[in-house]
Amino acid sequence: MVAASAAPLQVALPAAAACVAAGSEHCAAVLLDGRIFTWGWGEHGMLGVGDTHSRWQPQGVAFGGESVGQCRVVACGAGFTVCA
């Protein structure tokens, strides 16, 4: 489980990350194969998983009917996540 910490924590992802971003209260990682995973505070829907619940384990994000989306780079801010 990933929780608030004053020290860095290792996050378990299903594969190696190509890009990692941190917003004010959530994070996202793009894996080498283009899959994107998010975790953290979800109040504004910024985790991209279809609701506003917080998730403390990385969750795969789906895009347009695909089981898990394809991304090259991700950015997080205060209340949003974007990928390209």
Side-chain angles (χ1 to χ4, degrees), residues 33-58:
D33 64 6
R35 293 180 290 163
I36 182 170
F37 286 78
T38 60
W39 65 97
W41 193 43
E43 181 185 37
H44 304 293
M46 63 268 211
L47 299 181
V49 294
D51 59 37
T52 56
H53 299 291
S54 296
R55 304 285 196 309
W56 306 117
Q57 295 294 322

Side-chain angles (χ1 to χ4, degrees), residues 2-72:
V2 178
S5 173
L9 298 174
Q10 186 169 354
V11 175
L13 294 167
C19 177
V20 178
S24 58
E25 294 164 327
H26 73 295
C27 298
V30 177
L31 305 187
L32 291 173
D33 64 6
R35 293 180 290 163
I36 182 170
F37 286 78
T38 60
W39 65 97
W41 193 43
E43 181 185 37
H44 304 293
M46 63 268 211
L47 299 181
V49 294
D51 59 37
T52 56
H53 299 291
S54 296
R55 304 285 196 309
W56 306 117
Q57 295 294 322
Q59 304 290 306
V61 177
F63 293 97
E66 297 293 321
S67 59
V68 179
Q70 294 292 305
C71 233
R72 288 190 313 261

